[in-house]
Amino acid sequence: MDRVKTAVAGARAAYNLGKTRPLEFRLQQLRAMEKMLTERKDLFSEALQKDLHKNDFAVQIYEMAGIVGEITLALNKLHEWMEPEHVSKNMMTMMDTVYIQRQPLGVVLIIGAWNYPLALVLQPLVGAIAAGNAAVVKPSEVSGNTAQLLAQLLPQYLDKELYPVINGGVKEATELLSIRFDHILYTGNAAVGRIVMEAAAKHLTPVTLELGGKSPCYVDTDCDLDVACRRIAWGRYTNCGQTCIAPDYILCNKSIQDQVVKKIGDTIAEFYGSDPQKSPDYGRIVNQRHFQRIMSLLEGANVVYGGKNNVEDLYIAPTIVTDVDPDSRIMQEEIFGPVLPIVTVNGVDEAIAFISRRDKPLALYVFSHNKKLIQKMIRMTSSGGVTANDCLIHYSIAALPFGGVGKSGFGAYHGKHSFDTFSHRRACVLKSLGMEKANNIRYAPATDSKMKWLLWLLAKQGEGKKLQLIGFLILGTLVSIVMKFYFAW
């Protein structure tokens, strides 16, 4: 375990030299990451094919495009993000310089997930680099080929002292969590999330947890079912259902349940053919343990579509389950596989009640022509994110924060939100040593007059240009008085 401590100590020593502070250094590291993705694209595709049966389309669209987009945004906007953010003043600080300066936190730890083993490591790393931090990267050992490739390539392109990669399993992760970091970002399940948070608490280290959960999908009767079912099938079965924001179950009226099953089934055939196992576009379960876990969820379930599987190939067909008991195991834990339960409800109010009784999910989906119904669903429920009439797509918008709430996690990243997550917002007030007479009202001995003036001045907060105008008027009055006395002499 000496290599873990050595790597973290090396990252902190390099950070303390101030190497990450200049804008140009950060831009250079981001360009180097972009170069790595371009030059080594084939190697990443090969590793992801081995780990999760991802084809080139899946690698380019679901792994690399988001990373490249984050890099491009940071390259274009980083100089603006690093600028001081000037804020409103009160009357007592009107002549001062008041602003927020974003500073790097220090040495951060990024623990990635296995389902998108490239994107869920490099996207947060973009934010950590942009914010000027050193970052220790721990890829998931479950997607071992991608993890090994990252350990091999990142030191060739990025500063190897500032951005070390630590591979390994529970032992290495435990060792890392015993060391003090300035921030930890973890993507994975809630059980490990609790371990991460407990370890971080010993050092008072802030954390960002991206944990997932059971993301509901309400399908209204007033809806284009053909379009809705295509989009739901895409969201559920992409990456073989191993997506943290995939629709985990459907809520719909019993009167449309059979149509939903048929239309999703027709879409599966359209997407993957009559035998999805032969489709180059259909993924595989990551390993035997997760295969057996998913299959155990189907025990005693009413499978109305799919259900075929092959343990040697880690293949589970796109599957739909109906007549689901809300208290059954399949409705108690995140499925994280190509299985879609349908629970019937009488309408949107019952759907809202059902969702609200459960842990807050990472995502929520609603399909309806009725805009008021959509707004009601948004207003009356809580989730990390929400998308109406589509699935997954909110993840792709860099301007939106991506993160959970409650047991689906807390904190967020993507775009400037990543930069802010890995930055300290430092409050700065720069005063002169002049005009000391104006400060007498705050000094002892205290008087009622001083107190009244101070309360009035402190009450004039955040009025922006109006406050500035008042200040200039007061200043102008003082100048005119001084000039009057000067010329009188």
Side-chain angles (χ1 to χ4, degrees):
M1 288 302 154
D2 286 344
R3 70 183 180 94
V4 173
K5 292 181 179 178
T6 300
V8 177
R12 191 166 292 281
Y15 173 78
N16 288 338
L17 293 174
K19 293 172 66 174
T20 65
R21 299 293 179 122
L23 169 64
E24 190 49 47
F25 176 84
R26 305 182 197 188
L27 296 177
Q28 185 272 326
Q29 294 295 299
L30 293 172
R31 292 189 191 103
M33 186 191 295
E34 186 176 38
K35 184 179 180 183
M36 177 187 72
L37 293 172
T38 301
E39 292 182 347
R40 307 295 184 157
K41 178 175 64 177
D42 291 343
L43 290 178
F44 283 117
S45 290
E46 182 181 343
L48 288 160
Q49 166 69 26
K50 290 177 179 177
D51 284 332
L52 288 152
H53 200 258
K54 296 190 180 189
N55 61 13
D56 286 340
F57 180 92
V59 172
Q60 290 298 308
I61 301 303
Y62 302 127
E63 295 275 3
M64 289 193 174
I67 307 168
V68 173
E70 297 267 324
I71 293 172
T72 301
L73 179 65
L75 291 175
N76 291 335
K77 294 290 186 179
L78 186 53
H79 66 287
E80 295 178 21
W81 298 347
M82 291 176 64
E83 286 291 316
E85 178 188 341
H86 293 276
V87 297
S88 299
K89 311 172 189 179
N90 59 28
M91 287 290 286
M92 294 188 67
T93 58
M94 191 172 51
M95 305 306 295
D96 307 328
T97 302
V98 181
Y99 62 92
I100 298 168
Q101 183 71 56
R102 286 171 174 80
Q103 293 190 313
L105 295 173
V107 181
V108 304
L109 172 62
I110 297 171
I111 305 176
W114 54 261
N115 56 325
Y116 292 89
L118 191 62
L120 296 179
V121 165
L122 295 188
Q123 277 190 267
L125 182 58
V126 170
I129 292 172
N133 299 280
V136 178
V137 175
K138 170 63 177 71
S140 172
E141 73 280 7
V142 177
S143 293
N145 294 287
T146 306
Q148 290 300 323
L149 188 59
L150 282 168
Q152 174 189 334
L153 295 181
L154 271 183
Q156 296 178 25
Y157 287 86
L158 302 186
D159 187 300
K160 61 184 179 181
E161 291 181 323
L162 286 165
Y163 312 111
V165 179
I166 303 296
N167 270 332
V170 173
K171 185 183 294 185
E172 288 76 12
T174 302
E175 179 70 16
L176 279 168
L177 290 173
S178 71
I179 301 171
R180 181 182 70 84
F181 287 92
D182 299 296
H183 194 95
I184 299 173
L185 187 147
Y186 166 77
T187 304
N189 62 58
V192 178
R194 290 186 181 93
I195 294 171
V196 171
M197 194 170 178
E198 183 178 356
K202 294 178 182 177
H203 301 288
L204 296 180
T205 297
V207 296
T208 299
L209 301 180
E210 304 292 348
L211 303 180
K214 294 187 74 63
S215 297
C217 177
Y218 176 66
V219 181
D220 189 31
T221 51
D222 181 14
C223 176
D224 186 329
L225 286 180
D226 290 315
V227 172
C229 291
R230 282 174 63 83
R231 295 177 183 180
I232 293 168
W234 170 71
R236 172 72 274 185
Y237 301 113
T238 291
N239 199 32
C240 205
Q242 298 165 122
T243 303
C244 59
I245 54 171
D248 193 90
Y249 62 94
I250 288 176
L251 296 169
C252 70
N253 193 281
K254 192 171 184 63
S255 65
I256 63 170
Q257 177 178 251
D258 290 345
Q259 295 179 68
V260 169
V261 171
K262 183 180 186 307
K263 291 179 186 296
I264 292 178
D266 290 345
T267 302
I268 291 169
E270 178 190 341
F271 287 175
Y272 307 116
S274 59
D275 186 358
Q277 189 172 3
K278 297 177 180 177
S279 170
D281 297 305
Y282 191 68
R284 294 295 184 272
I285 304 305
V286 69
N287 59 24
Q288 291 276 349
R289 181 171 69 85
H290 283 282
F291 180 93
Q292 297 298 340
R293 178 188 60 79
I294 296 166
M295 291 307 301
S296 71
L297 294 177
L298 288 173
E299 292 175 4
N302 182 39
V303 175
V304 293
Y305 186 94
K308 293 181 180 179
N309 63 89
N310 184 310
V311 65
E312 288 80 14
D313 192 27
L314 296 175
Y315 167 77
I316 298 176
T319 299
I320 304 172
V321 177
T322 62
D323 302 324
V324 178
D325 180 354
D327 296 322
S328 62
R329 185 170 158 234
I330 201 171
M331 291 301 296
Q332 299 305 311
E333 62 182 76
E334 185 177 8
I335 296 169
F336 226 68
V339 177
L340 183 59
I342 299 178
V343 177
T344 57
V345 292
N346 289 324
V348 67
D349 291 330
E350 190 174 324
I352 289 170
F354 186 93
I355 294 166
S356 299
R357 285 194 301 268
R358 293 167 176 259
D359 293 334
K360 296 176 181 180
L362 185 56
L364 183 148
Y365 304 106
V366 52
F367 287 83
S368 179
H369 286 305
N370 188 332
K371 292 181 180 179
K372 289 184 178 180
L373 182 146
I374 291 171
Q375 288 301 321
K376 182 176 183 178
M377 179 68 78
I378 294 172
R379 188 174 65 252
M380 299 298 292
T381 60
S382 178
S383 62
V386 59
T387 295
N389 296 321
D390 208 344
C391 294
L392 313 185
I393 208 70
H394 62 285
Y395 181 91
S396 69
I397 303 171
L400 291 176
F402 177 73
V405 60
K407 289 189 178 180
S408 60
F410 45 82
Y413 70 110
H414 283 192
K416 187 174 183 294
H417 304 288
S418 298
F419 177 83
D420 289 339
T421 286
F422 290 112
S423 297
H424 168 60
R425 299 171 75 245
R426 192 181 195 182
C428 301
V429 179
L430 309 184
K431 298 181 72 74
S432 76
L433 290 170
M435 300 182 67
E436 179 62 7
K437 287 284 187 184
N439 290 321
N440 282 344
I441 61 170
R442 72 188 191 190
Y443 298 145
T447 66
D448 287 344
S449 177
K450 287 182 179 181
M451 182 174 68
K452 289 176 182 177
W453 274 106
L454 277 171
L455 289 173
W456 182 82
L457 289 170
L458 290 170
K460 301 299 179 182
Q461 295 267 7
E463 297 184 25
K465 293 182 178 179
K466 179 181 176 182
L467 191 60
Q468 191 174 27
L469 179 60
I470 293 171
F472 281 127
L473 288 172
I474 294 172
L475 183 61
T477 303
L478 291 172
V479 170
S480 66
I481 293 170
V482 171
M483 293 293 287
K484 181 179 179 181
F485 278 102
Y486 174 80
F487 285 112
W489 280 96

